[in-house]
Amino acid sequence: MFAVYVLLGSYTVTIPDFFTIVINHLTGGEKIPGASFIVMEHKLPRAVVGTMIGIAFGLAGALFQTMLRNPLASPDIIGISYGASAAAVTAIVIFGASGAVVSWAALGGALGVAAIIYAISRGAGSGGGSRSHAAGNRLILAGVGIAAALHAVVNFLMTRADIRTAADVLVWLNGSLNSATWERAGILTASLLVLVPAVIILAGPLRILELGDDAAAGLGIRVNATRLGLVLTAVGLAAVATAAAGPVAFVAFLAGPIARRIVRKPSLPASALTGALIVLAADFFASNIAPVILDGTVLPVGVITGALGAPFLLWLLVTSNRKEA
């Protein structure tokens, strides 16, 4: 999908030309007029950023879903993405912020909401078996309530913004790769170089934690410390991805369940790759196919992922009810 994204679309690039463009760019060689700019300043950084935010969202969703043993427990559902959105919109509308300031505000908002969620998690009780499962359900319900409240805050701020600011906010809220640059790709790379090793370290304890808190403690796992590490890592992944491209809807929610159906078991690497696949495929459709269908209208990537996520959520609820019946 990465190759399709870079080579095909409204402007196609042959494989030999692609390698010539990249090699000449790195060595300071002769540039191909037009093609070099399109590949190196538009297609390639956009594909790289899209891949990394897909990996981050996919891992974040899979960590939450596995830790809480509930497919609804993703950053989209439990309010973390809305925390980032509310903070970013506040920075844009009230303080007139732009660029990196908005990204930092989104990061802070996501971490703030995560702190509230973790406090609720600790206060909801602990224990193995049904007690731990009930606590996870209460956490999800609390997250849904927080998300609803933050959604109201965002709507209120939108009514206070002028038309031009509201348009900018709306693009950010939908999630878009239009702001993808090599600088942003570098920040994402540095973040993932810290967070992905943390995921690898926590993957083993996470599997044991699925047995229940009492069983995990009996096997030598420090339950509270492990859960705190998982929450911080998952929130960090969701926060940096949201700060880079906005709250791209449902990627974190979709990646884990789809990966599980492909590989027939829970898999963090498969979830990461599925997240990247969803983002790249959705943005390719939004940038190249949607304009043909919609008479030139280019859609933000979040519109496409949101359209995919809504029916998948309904299907998941229907199939869950059938299994319970």
Side-chain angles (χ1 to χ4, degrees), residues 81-122:
S81 295
Y82 271 111
S85 298
V89 173
T90 300
I92 294 171
V93 174
I94 296 180
F95 299 103
S98 61
V101 177
V102 176
S103 297
W104 283 109
L107 184 64
L111 293 174
V113 170
I116 297 173
I117 291 175
Y118 183 71
I120 294 173
S121 175
R122 295 200 61 175

Side-chain angles (χ1 to χ4, degrees), residues 94-179:
I94 296 180
F95 299 103
S98 61
V101 177
V102 176
S103 297
W104 283 109
L107 184 64
L111 293 174
V113 170
I116 297 173
I117 291 175
Y118 183 71
I120 294 173
S121 175
R122 295 200 61 175
S126 60
S130 61
R131 287 183 63 194
S132 179
H133 182 69
N137 287 339
R138 287 194 295 270
L139 185 147
I140 294 170
L141 291 173
V144 171
I146 292 170
L150 293 173
H151 183 66
V153 171
V154 170
N155 286 340
F156 171 76
L157 291 172
M158 289 287 284
T159 64
R160 308 295 296 176
D162 60 72
I163 294 177
R164 182 174 297 178
T165 302
D168 293 339
V169 169
L170 191 60
V171 171
W172 195 91
L173 286 174
N174 283 323
S176 173
L177 295 179
N178 290 342
S179 60

Side-chain angles (χ1 to χ4, degrees), residues 39-66:
V39 171
M40 297 306 303
E41 302 301 327
H42 177 67
K43 278 178 169 279
L44 200 53
R46 195 175 177 114
V48 170
V49 170
T51 300
M52 287 193 287
I53 68 167
I55 289 172
F57 277 129
L59 285 174
L63 287 174
F64 274 117
Q65 289 164 342
T66 305

Side-chain angles (χ1 to χ4, degrees), residues 11 17 20-41 182:
Y11 186 93
D17 282 348
T20 300
I21 289 169
V22 173
I23 292 171
N24 288 350
H25 180 82
L26 295 175
T27 60
E30 183 180 358
K31 296 182 179 180
I32 301 175
S36 295
F37 177 82
I38 291 173
V39 171
M40 297 306 303
E41 302 301 327
W182 286 116

Side-chain angles (χ1 to χ4, degrees), residues 32 34 38 57 80 142 177 180 183 186 193 199 222 227 242-243 301 319:
I32 301 175
I38 291 173
F57 277 129
I80 293 173
L177 295 179
E183 180 183 3
L193 286 175
V199 173
R222 298 173 59 187
R227 184 173 286 113
T242 303
V301 62
T319 54

